[in-house]
Amino acid sequence: MKGAVLNQIPGQLEIEEISIDNPTGDEILIQTANAGLCHSDLHFMEGHWQTRLPAVMGHEAAGIVEAVGENVQYVKPGDRVITCLSIFCGSCNFCLGGRMSLCQNFSATARPKGAAPRVTNKDGDSLAQFARLGAFAEQMLVHQNAVVSIREEMPLDKAALIGCGVTTGMGAVFRTARIEPGSTVCVIGAGGVGLSAVQAARIAGAGRLIVVDITADKLAKATEVGATDVVNGAETDAVEAVKELSGGGVDYAFEAIGLKKTVEQAWGMLAVGGTATVIGMMPFGETVEIPGYEIFMQEKTLQGSMMGSNQFRTDMPRFVDMYLDGRLMLDEMVSQHLPLEKINDGYAAMQRGELARTVVDFG
Ligand SMILES: NC(=O)c1ccc[n+]([C@@H]2O[C@H](COP(=O)([O-])OP(=O)(O)OC[C@H]3O[C@@H](n4cnc5c(N)ncnc54)[C@H](O)[C@@H]3O)[C@@H](O)[C@H]2O)c1
Ligand SMILES: [Zn+2]
Ligand SMILES: [Zn+2]
């Protein structure tokens, strides 16, 4: 089968002929239907982050179960699933405490040391699965705790987006920040993740819902999915503009880009008592600076959101329902479909700040 492999950092994806093992124990073999292009992979390709190489990249996918290991009872061949990189062990303090997206017990859901690799290249050498998924491939071999089963009516190209961007953006609003109806919200960055945060804020009943981006297309898309006001950060001071629009600052700011400057903007545009939630993946080692007195005198909060603080087996089917009942606008977020061979074109468009989401079609 074919997969998109990253062989060096920085580097582009290379389409290679690769092999995948049969599922054993808790594993599931999935026929990948669609995979979305999330910016997180691009951070590695551009050299802002390191990962084990060579790696089959991709981590935002949906597909159909092809075969299961002998311990798997959760799904059966033919079931439609979304994958999630928040693979839970189910027995650590985080999992048992309801914060499964923080599970660090990686070895519990991996093959034991010394076992045959799940994925190999044409020479038989081991390939890493990026984010323990490796979604840019015609098939995926993953632990059963990396999938959620979904309704048959759900189109798999839209379902793929729920695999990362949608769950991350919506979860940041619903689970991490838990915004109140009527509260003022600003989302900085209107890519797949930011637009999902905008939709969650709209669904949760936000009051003023302001979006900052640097391209007119993204701002138009933000308005289409629920922004009440938009600010072009390339043309105007985003902090001053948002403060003016919100009457002094917002209750909740979400940063969905991954830049020091925009994280500091998210803090700077908060009202007294406000909360800034960082979703964007800042370059590894980057630090942020915020004025110390505002933390205690103004009771402002800076917090992070990893994969939307998800409980994905609960959250993702809810997002599927919200799409099917018309509240979650995913058709508007799929900007283009590409075959795997053209995947680097999709990332080039992302580097130019174009398109909400590109989706790879398999088969
Ligand atoms: N926290 C998590 O678990 C998690 C999960 C998924 C993605 N992410 C991260 O979230 C971020 C967004 O991902 P995405 O796939 O939506 O990316 P994307 O490239 O689709 O969107 C980023 C948007 O930011 C805009 N932008 C760039 N510079 C800007 C600036 N200075 N001011 C305002 N807007 C600006 C771009 O125009 C674009 O619309 C990435 O850093 C990604 O790695 C984090
Ligand atoms: Zn992602
Ligand atoms: Zn755990």
Side-chain angles (χ1 to χ4, degrees):
M1 65 142 171
K2 284 192 174 50
V5 177
L6 187 63
N7 286 298
Q8 59 199 35
I9 293 179
Q12 291 217 321
L13 297 174
E14 295 172 51
I15 309 304
E16 296 182 11
E17 198 58 43
I18 63 179
S19 299
I20 201 156
D21 207 0
N22 292 318
T24 63
D26 287 294
E27 290 174 339
I28 299 177
L29 181 67
I30 300 166
Q31 190 78 43
T32 316
N34 298 96
L37 270 58
C38 171
H39 201 121
S40 297
D41 294 67
L42 187 56
H43 292 307
F44 291 85
M45 289 150 63
E46 288 179 336
H48 304 303
W49 282 75
Q50 295 295 322
T51 189
R52 207 187 106 208
L53 298 179
V56 181
M57 298 300 285
H59 65 277
E60 181 178 279
I64 296 174
V65 176
E66 197 169 316
V68 300
E70 61 277 12
N71 297 343
V72 176
Q73 293 186 340
Y74 174 62
V75 286
K76 57 182 186 317
D79 287 355
R80 290 169 165 241
V81 292
I82 302 176
T83 58
C84 183
L85 66 80
S86 305
I87 306 169
F88 56 95
C89 78
S91 58
C92 72
N93 287 344
F94 292 113
C95 287
L96 296 175
R99 304 182 77 189
M100 42 181 280
S101 58
L102 296 179
C103 177
Q104 309 290 313
N105 195 4
F106 302 143
S107 61
T109 56
R111 283 196 168 178
K113 274 209 164 62
R118 284 179 179 161
V119 188
T120 49
N121 67 15
K122 62 177 180 341
D123 300 324
D125 299 330
S126 165
L127 288 174
Q129 296 169 297
F130 180 67
R132 300 182 288 156
L133 296 174
F136 293 151
E138 289 170 320
Q139 291 172 312
M140 302 168 70
L141 182 60
V142 301
H143 191 278
Q144 62 170 328
N145 291 359
V147 308
V148 57
S149 160
I150 56 163
R151 290 166 65 179
E152 274 198 3
E153 313 90 283
M154 184 66 188
L156 292 175
D157 58 338
K158 315 305 185 303
L161 268 51
I162 296 175
C164 179
V166 167
T167 294
T168 296
M170 297 189 77
V173 173
F174 292 150
R175 287 209 183 267
T176 316
R178 297 176 175 267
I179 74 163
E180 305 87 27
S183 51
T184 49
V185 173
C186 178
V187 177
I188 313 177
V193 174
L195 291 168
S196 301
V198 173
Q199 298 215 43
R202 185 198 78 228
I203 292 167
R208 214 66 182 258
L209 176 43
I210 308 163
V211 174
V212 180
D213 202 289
I214 51 175
T215 78
D217 285 358
K218 290 292 177 58
L219 294 174
K221 187 59 78 177
T223 303
E224 194 183 342
V225 302
T228 60
D229 303 87
V230 293
V231 171
N232 190 326
E235 293 170 356
T236 173
D237 182 324
V239 172
E240 289 311 314
V242 171
K243 277 186 167 172
E244 195 174 324
L245 284 165
S246 58
V250 289
D251 301 315
Y252 295 96
F254 295 88
E255 198 275 357
I257 306 163
L259 297 173
K260 172 186 172 73
K261 180 183 165 194
T262 43
V263 171
E264 291 170 358
Q265 285 178 341
W267 178 270
M269 64 176 60
L270 290 179
V272 169
T275 300
T277 303
V278 177
I279 310 171
M281 196 171 161
M282 273 178 284
F284 193 82
E286 184 70 276
T287 57
V288 294
E289 291 166 81
I290 53 175
Y293 82 92
E294 294 180 20
I295 303 172
F296 72 100
M297 280 185 73
Q298 301 184 345
E299 292 196 1
K300 292 184 182 175
T301 304
L302 180 67
Q303 63 180 0
S305 181
M306 177 61 189
M307 289 299 291
S309 310
N310 73 75
Q311 295 173 5
F312 75 83
R313 286 237 177 124
T314 308
D315 296 342
M316 290 186 177
R318 289 180 181 169
F319 299 152
V320 166
D321 289 346
M322 287 182 198
Y323 169 75
L324 292 173
D325 71 20
R327 281 178 295 167
L328 174 57
M329 301 157 72
L330 296 183
D331 297 344
E332 292 75 0
M333 283 178 46
V334 177
S335 312
Q336 69 169 349
H337 290 252
L338 287 179
L340 186 65
E341 287 71 18
K342 296 227 166 101
I343 192 164
N344 287 312
D345 296 351
Y347 275 113
M350 182 180 280
Q351 282 173 315
R352 295 191 298 269
E354 297 167 8
L355 310 178
R357 253 323 183 239
T358 296
V359 173
V360 172
D361 294 338
F362 291 93

